[in-house]
Amino acid sequence: MCGIVGYIGSREVSSVLVDGLKRLEYRGYDSCGIAIMDEGKPNVVRSVGRIDALEEKIKAAQPTNGSVKCGIGHTRWATHGRPSETNSHPHRDCTGRFYVAHNGIIENYLCLKHRLSAEGHRFQTETDTEVLPHLIESYYNGNLEEAVHRALQDVEGVYGIVVVSTEGDGRKIVAARNGPPIVVGMGSGEYFVASDVPALLPYTRNVVFLRDGEVAVVGSQGVEIRDSSGVCMCREPETITWTADMAEKEGYSHFMLKEIHEQPRAIRDTLLGRLAGEGAITLSSELGNPAILADMARLHIVAMGTSLHAAYIGKFLIETLARVPVEVDNASEFRYRDAIVGPKAVVAGISQSGETADTLAAMKEARDKGAYLLSVCNVVGSQAARQSDAVIYTHAGPEIGVASTKAFTTQLVALYLLALQLAQLRCTLPQPEIERHVRELRDVPDQINKLLDQSQAISSLAEKFWRYRNFLYLGRGIHHPIAMEGALKLKEISYIHAEAYAAGEMKHGPIALIDQEMPVVVLAPQDAVYRKTMGNIEEVKVRDGIVIAIATEGDHEIARLADYTVYIPDAHPFINPILSTIPLQLFAYHVAVLRRCDVDKPRNLAKSVTVE
Ligand code: F6R
């Protein structure tokens, strides 16, 4: 999500840091900053917005006299605390001796913040990260790496960090990793640290990737790496052969493919801090006034495109689990149809960007009608988040490919959590049931990893189908919106005409289209409507249609009927939509690549539709 850089050497440090941050711009960010240790004096410059603005501020501040050799920098993609100069990294302790840049989420930061505040520490930001410099301050006893090591023992969550200090000669960077990557670049007489390889490429291709739990001390004379129990690790540098473009995509050929593969991580981050123990949902603190949600008479959801498909799934989850009636509207329709927003109604906007004009306008319309506003957003501090009474963030990280992938599956997870939280507040589900859902949710990242292993098989399937000009997608119940999402993914990136129908609708018209030129993708995991969907597959087959089925692992019956079967792991019917999305994303991706389409920037489309 965020970008990290660090440098020790004889070059002008602020230039190296700014250059490194610019090379990480593709990750997306909302603010940035650097901290330079200048002969025992800290120089910190931070800015909201583009790195160019930071550069101007650095020029104006003239932070170094040229003799300075050590510093760290950061581009922030806000997760805890809105984008602002105060919340941008590096963060400091009370005394101004320790500076930390962090990528990740400190899950137990509230608990640590209370403890540190009670001990007399003064906090200046809304971030989770700020607990780190204060912890380091409290443990510092003349040895920075020792203090970092002890601080990290108190922390739950995921992190890639770099730490600098004015103590000693101030020429040391301590870096640590648990989750988000940290890579150390070995130059000749100079050393680099970064969250991503592109920041290092102009300077060195010899790198060491830290492993989870490792702490590196990067000094002017070399690098020492220790594992979590303090044992010194001898690690030979690897030589990077990637080009800058390949490195930005971490070796994937497109951002879309990278983002598809990021889904296990993105879902883990979305669950992080929202589940406690076996079955408690701890989302209440993010719901503003949870009593309003517990007592609502109706929930209206407004959204566009892929986010609208997530909303339809949300309706199933919330109505079934929390027994609240849910209406879903295309936001561009809601805003003009003078919708009835009754008393005790809550309106939720779902938006990856939080900047979609129609969704914002529908939310405003609802607000004018007196609704309590909730949003499900990926971009912290976005317009949708700012105009809402409560926000549930999906922690997908920046989505660069225009076609939404990880934002969608994290929206599904966030809505699932909301449904369970409402069920808990409204006492509509017995506790053992909630615990079962929680266990199922925790398994999702590993199940997606299994599905991603099928990428090659799906690529082979795409080779059979990329020349077709029309596709039909069918699904029933909770899989109807997934059929819509599959069809949208295919049409937007490969320009193939694809239509989605509720499978029960087939006989009412679409069946006339079936012939050998019309492949039909059928979502048929084993759930309550499985038999009905099997009936639809029969209808397609007797009309010489070609069926690609998405089915539950072990279902041999469907394999005998369908022409091609892609299996998803056996899971709860509410988890199935998340899992069946993955092969559909991969299929659309591979078809688009075979058709030589511009996968990450499809024609006529924008990532954020900020006009009507
Ligand atoms: C499709 C896609 C779009 C967006 C839609 C809403 O892959 O990305 O359909 O889902 O433009 O965008 P957000 O979620 O930012 O409001």
Side-chain angles (χ1 to χ4, degrees), residues 471-493:
F471 273 78
L472 209 56
Y473 281 70
L474 300 180
R476 274 178 187 266
I478 203 164
H479 277 96
H480 177 211
I482 298 299
M484 292 157 83
E485 176 59 10
L488 177 63
K489 284 294 89 98
L490 187 70
K491 79 181 106 182
E492 69 181 330
I493 60 170

Side-chain angles (χ1 to χ4, degrees), residues 243-304:
T243 62
D245 182 55
M246 283 160 75
E248 282 185 7
K249 293 172 190 147
E250 288 170 15
Y252 292 103
S253 33
H254 296 92
F255 281 112
M256 182 181 174
L257 189 60
K258 173 172 171 261
E259 286 159 8
I260 289 173
H261 280 79
E262 279 175 346
Q263 290 176 108
R265 194 273 308 145
I267 288 174
R268 259 189 214 106
D269 285 356
T270 303
L271 292 173
L272 215 60
R274 288 161 169 175
L275 300 174
E278 285 302 296
I281 315 293
T282 53
L283 199 66
S284 284
S285 57
E286 299 171 54
L287 297 183
N289 187 343
I292 293 183
L293 283 123
D295 195 34
M296 70 184 151
R298 184 170 293 275
L299 177 68
H300 297 258
I301 312 184
V302 292
M304 299 298 289

Side-chain angles (χ1 to χ4, degrees), residues 304-307 351-353 356 402-404 411 488-489 492 609:
M304 299 298 289
T306 288
S307 296
S351 175
Q352 184 284 129
S353 60
T356 298
V402 164
S404 195
Q411 284 168 349
L488 177 63
K489 284 294 89 98
E492 69 181 330
V609 185

